[in-house]
Amino acid sequence: MNTGIIASRYAKALLRYVTAHGDGERTCRQAMTLEKALSEVPELRQVLNDPAAIPESRKLQLLQAALGDEPMCDALKRFLALVARSGRFGDLLFILHDFSDLYYKSLGVHFVTVVTAVPASEALLERIRTEAVRRLGGKVVLETRTDPSLLGGAVVTADGYRVDASVRSQLRTLQNQFINKNKRIV
């Protein structure tokens, strides 16, 4: 079975559970914390993926430790026990990502990432936010980053769509056009 399908099914099940029993915001926040830990610590992913490495109860303790001092909410604890019993720790990173995505979509929240070569002005960010609200509806949460390799312009990503208006991208397009045109001449 496809990892994406499995992750989606488990994420939808967790979403249905937290919707019915409450505590969705806390569950989502903790799921995002665990997702970040799994992304940043490959050794943790490796231990969780290996069925013979350590017992399932110890794996659950490692995930609790990744949350720091905050006790794991009941919904997430029960869900992770289900994932452990099903032998799906290998899919956990994708499941947690899908869950947080589904949870915020169910609330009408859209995350928009804006990457610029230099820190973006408030006026630019407000124009992007206004356009995102007009096109996507709901609430828009902007995340900004800088990447000097863009040289100028911006790359905006929202709901799986990407608009690359960076100078780097435009230069690459010109370079490819120049190469293709000169291939025909020779």
Side-chain angles (χ1 to χ4, degrees), residues 11-12 33 129 150 184:
K12 286 177 185 174
T33 300
R129 181 186 326 275
L150 294 180
R184 285 184 250 146

Side-chain angles (χ1 to χ4, degrees), residues 50-162:
D50 186 355
I54 57 176
E56 301 301 328
S57 60
R58 181 69 180 122
K59 291 178 181 182
L60 293 171
Q61 289 173 348
L62 286 173
L63 291 170
Q64 171 58 62
L67 293 175
D69 294 335
E70 181 181 8
M72 188 180 294
C73 65
D74 188 51
L76 191 57
K77 193 181 299 182
R78 294 179 74 177
F79 179 74
L80 291 174
L82 169 72
V83 171
R85 282 192 311 273
S86 303
R88 293 291 180 193
F89 269 131
D91 301 317
L92 187 59
L93 176 65
F94 304 107
I95 292 169
L96 295 173
H97 176 77
D98 283 0
F99 167 70
S100 59
D101 191 43
L102 287 171
Y103 178 75
Y104 283 116
K105 279 184 181 175
S106 75
L107 297 176
V109 176
H110 303 277
F111 289 89
V112 177
T113 304
V114 180
V115 183
T116 55
V118 296
S121 69
E122 285 303 316
L124 173 64
L125 293 177
E126 191 52 41
R127 281 186 21 220
I128 292 171
R129 181 186 326 275
T130 302
E131 186 63 22
V133 167
R134 188 181 74 74
R135 290 180 182 254
L136 302 172
K139 181 180 178 191
V140 171
V141 177
L142 282 183
E143 175 188 326
T144 60
R145 291 193 314 251
T146 58
D147 179 1
S149 72
L150 294 180
L151 304 175
V155 178
V156 179
T157 308
D159 286 351
Y161 293 100
R162 178 182 165 120

